[in-house]
Amino acid sequence: MNTQDRLNFVNGAFAPAKDGAWLDDLAPATGQVIARIPRSTKADVDAAVAAAKTALPAWAKTPVAERAALLDRVADLLEARLDEIAEVESRDTGKPLALAMSLDIPRAISNFRFFADLVRTKTDDASMMADALNYTHRSPVGVCALVTPWNLPLYLLSWKTAPALAMGNTLVAKPSELTPLTASLLAEILNEAGCPPGVFNLVHGLGAEAGDALVSHPDVALVSFTGGTATGAKVAAAAAPQFKKLSLELGGKNPSLVFADCDFEKTVPGVTRSAFLNQGQICLCGSRILVERSIHDRFVDALLEELKAWKVGDPSDPATKIGAGISAAHRDKVEGYFNLALEEGGTIRCGGTRPPLPPPLRDGFFLEPTVITGLPATCRTATEEIFGPVVTVHPFDTEDEALQMANGTKYGLAASVWTSDLTRAHRVSQALESGMVWVNTWLHRDLRVPFGGVKASGVGREGGRNSLEFFSEAKNICVKLD
Ligand code: NDP
């Protein structure tokens, strides 16, 4: 076996695909192959689901304290290997190492600790009647399918794995084939932490093969999917006839609303970060910036100035703020939008090109951060999800116009509002068609709050209690009191 091969993890053992097929895993910063993963088929998925089904009764009966203790051990083991795991995540995704060190892996650790604490301290609802007591009993849903994307691989997998295990479910995870490495490290760590065989299973492979076989499997009772809207529609269509429990966290085209009364000095770096963090490849990134006309030109100038500090290049360099995009195909897609923006009458104010980098980075999938002005807010460039280091900036005259522009896409995941007027902040936030709104901040995450989108950005909510509720079935028990 090649030392760079990563394996599936099924029933407590690492194994290649049953038919021996492999996929190459590339480093986005160099375009070079760094590992091979199993190209799993339905047979591999069937084995993983069968293992999860067999492990379910014992895990469901395992006391909550023991399940929580497992999650804490996983957090400790991740923390002990933080540097190594961050390096792997950066190599596999192309994101700056500093970002993986400060955001991705610390968040994965907190996800395990947070859900351990939450499940230990959770209480159940009770409702008294004059002659009866109702209480809510929560049991595991069953075998869960967790399907995750390439932009925040371990962060999002841990966000689903921790509550699923905490509530007594067993699971099969299918990470993106573009970023499989930290999922394999998580399997190792769960194994080392004493997770019983079959409770956590990992199947690598392509979405249309392993992913589809998993979400369609009759013994899978729940699907938690994070990914693009078009894929989400396929997953929903596969899950619906079997009435699986379903959560879909999908794409976004999130507005940042900048009012003339904002704290300008804080707003410019805040909005820049929201647009370009992780190469703009976070579903929550603010990719359409709506600015009150009286400060529009000054804001664009300040944004362009701010971006001079956003160095593009070697992800391992601590000074790098923008690493590589995920793949050549994705870079082609983003570059297609540069051409479209010009056709639609826009002006590319900075970026719109590949940066000149020395080998081996010359073969990586880098793009300069790109700012486009002069486009109508209704055009394709301004309303379709690009998911790269690209923003469009649009002036508005009134609050109503800003809201109309903000709500004028099919998406509704997140938004940010930048103003010093507290009344306006509440009024605008409540009128936005969006699952989440940040005021004078962005990606300021409290793990207790609901997370999810409206319209084409998804169905259902995870986060805090919502995750514990999603990963369990509520039963009302009514006891007559004589
Ligand atoms: P995709 O939708 O392409 O893929 C997501 C996952 O689904 C991958 O593991 C993929 O596997 C798998 N998949 C693909 N086809 C199927 C199928 N038919 N059945 C089951 N699984 C399938 O998304 P990306 O990986 O390209 O991620 C980017 C998208 O994710 C963006 O649109 C972004 O907005 C969204 N996203 C949403 C978030 C949210 O919380 N709302 C958070 C992060 C990202 P494979 O990659 O192997 O094909």
Side-chain angles (χ1 to χ4, degrees):
M1 190 182 77
N2 182 318
T3 51
Q4 292 181 322
D5 288 348
R6 299 292 183 275
L7 300 171
N8 290 339
F9 183 68
V10 175
N11 205 19
F14 288 93
K18 286 182 186 298
D19 68 3
W22 296 92
L23 293 165
D24 285 339
D25 177 34
L26 305 187
T30 61
Q32 286 163 6
V33 177
I34 50 171
R36 290 195 314 169
I37 55 163
R39 180 173 176 167
S40 306
T41 63
K42 185 173 178 306
D44 302 295
V45 169
D46 287 348
V49 173
K53 193 176 173 187
T54 305
L56 181 64
W59 184 246
K61 282 199 200 112
T62 301
V64 166
E66 279 181 42
R67 289 188 227 139
L70 173 76
L71 301 191
D72 275 337
R73 286 197 297 280
V74 171
D76 292 345
L77 290 167
L78 286 169
E79 198 162 43
R81 293 172 68 180
L82 191 152
D83 292 0
E84 171 208 348
I85 298 171
E87 196 278 321
V88 170
E89 194 74 303
S90 166
R91 195 154 27 104
D92 208 16
T93 57
K95 71 176 67 199
L97 177 58
L99 186 64
M101 291 282 292
S102 61
L103 180 77
D104 293 72
I105 313 308
R107 171 57 66 78
I109 296 165
S110 344
N111 283 340
F112 280 100
R113 292 223 170 97
F114 170 80
F115 282 110
D117 288 345
L118 195 66
V119 76
R120 271 192 201 105
T121 54
K122 102 178 165 52
T123 53
D124 294 311
D125 291 336
S127 315
M128 290 298 297
M129 301 167 76
D131 59 350
L133 161 70
N134 289 275
Y135 67 94
T136 305
H137 176 263
R138 292 204 163 266
S139 48
V141 183
V143 176
C144 301
L146 310 185
V147 182
T148 45
W150 46 259
N151 59 339
L152 301 164
L154 188 63
Y155 177 129
L156 289 171
L157 181 57
S158 59
W159 167 250
K160 298 175 190 295
T161 298
L165 296 183
M167 294 308 281
N169 303 280
T170 58
L171 66 92
V172 180
K174 207 304 278 175
S176 169
E177 96 278 3
L178 299 174
T179 55
L181 300 186
T182 50
S184 281
L185 289 175
L186 181 63
E188 259 176 41
I189 282 175
L190 275 153
N191 199 28
E192 190 184 339
C195 183
V199 169
F200 173 94
N201 304 276
L202 173 67
V203 176
H204 289 294
L206 297 171
E209 296 173 1
D212 182 55
L214 179 58
V215 300
S216 320
H217 198 291
D219 288 336
V220 165
L222 173 153
V223 177
S224 175
F225 171 85
T226 300
T229 295
T231 317
K234 286 186 201 159
V235 169
Q242 299 176 54
F243 307 109
K244 295 176 194 296
K245 216 171 170 188
L246 186 63
S247 163
L248 301 172
E249 308 279 2
L250 308 177
K253 184 78 173 179
N254 309 300
S256 307
L257 290 81
V258 179
F259 289 91
D261 62 9
C262 70
D263 179 334
F264 195 81
E265 300 309 317
K266 290 187 180 152
T267 299
V268 172
V271 170
T272 309
R273 176 173 168 270
S274 93
F276 294 103
L277 195 72
N278 204 43
Q279 300 72 244
Q281 298 172 155
I282 299 181
C283 52
L284 307 166
C285 276
S287 53
R288 45 199 325 254
I289 307 177
L290 314 177
V291 187
E292 196 161 351
R293 193 177 301 276
S294 60
I295 62 162
H296 174 270
D297 293 354
R298 183 173 155 230
F299 180 88
V300 171
D301 288 346
L303 174 63
L304 297 175
E305 188 59 33
E306 181 78 16
L307 272 175
K308 289 183 182 157
W310 281 66
K311 180 172 178 274
V312 186
D314 184 353
S316 65
D317 180 345
T320 294
K321 294 195 82 169
I322 298 201
I326 190 64
S327 65
H330 189 61
R331 182 178 57 185
D332 291 349
K333 178 191 144 184
V334 176
E335 285 179 329
Y337 278 98
F338 299 154
N339 297 330
L340 180 65
L342 295 174
E343 281 168 26
E344 290 182 319
T347 305
I348 295 181
R349 302 292 295 271
C350 74
T353 52
R354 302 178 184 187
L357 292 170
L361 303 176
R362 194 179 51 198
D363 298 322
F365 313 127
F366 296 88
L367 283 173
E368 295 279 2
T370 301
V371 174
I372 305 170
T373 57
L375 286 170
T378 49
C379 72
R380 284 184 53 206
T381 310
T383 54
E384 294 178 8
E385 186 184 46
I386 301 175
F387 217 57
V390 186
V391 287
T392 58
V393 190
H394 312 270
F396 66 83
D397 290 303
T398 64
E399 190 178 301
D400 279 351
E401 190 192 2
L403 277 169
Q404 202 181 359
M405 288 160 89
N407 291 336
T409 72
K410 68 176 183 176
Y411 296 108
L413 188 57
S416 66
V417 179
W418 304 80
T419 176
S420 302
D421 179 339
L422 195 56
T423 308
R424 187 212 300 273
H426 287 288
R427 188 173 58 232
V428 169
S429 300
Q430 289 173 23
L432 283 165
E433 294 168 0
S434 179
M436 291 159 277
V437 180
W438 281 286
V439 176
N440 296 328
T441 185
W442 175 78
L443 200 60
H444 202 78
R445 288 278 294 127
D446 179 330
L447 296 182
R448 294 169 296 184
V449 305
F451 183 99
V454 300
K455 303 198 296 190
S457 289
V459 175
R461 292 291 179 276
E462 296 184 39
R465 277 186 61 152
N466 298 274
S467 292
L468 299 190
E469 287 170 7
F470 173 61
F471 284 106
S472 62
E473 289 289 8
K475 181 190 294 171
N476 182 64
I477 298 180
C478 178
V479 183
K480 179 83 169 64
L481 304 173
D482 285 323

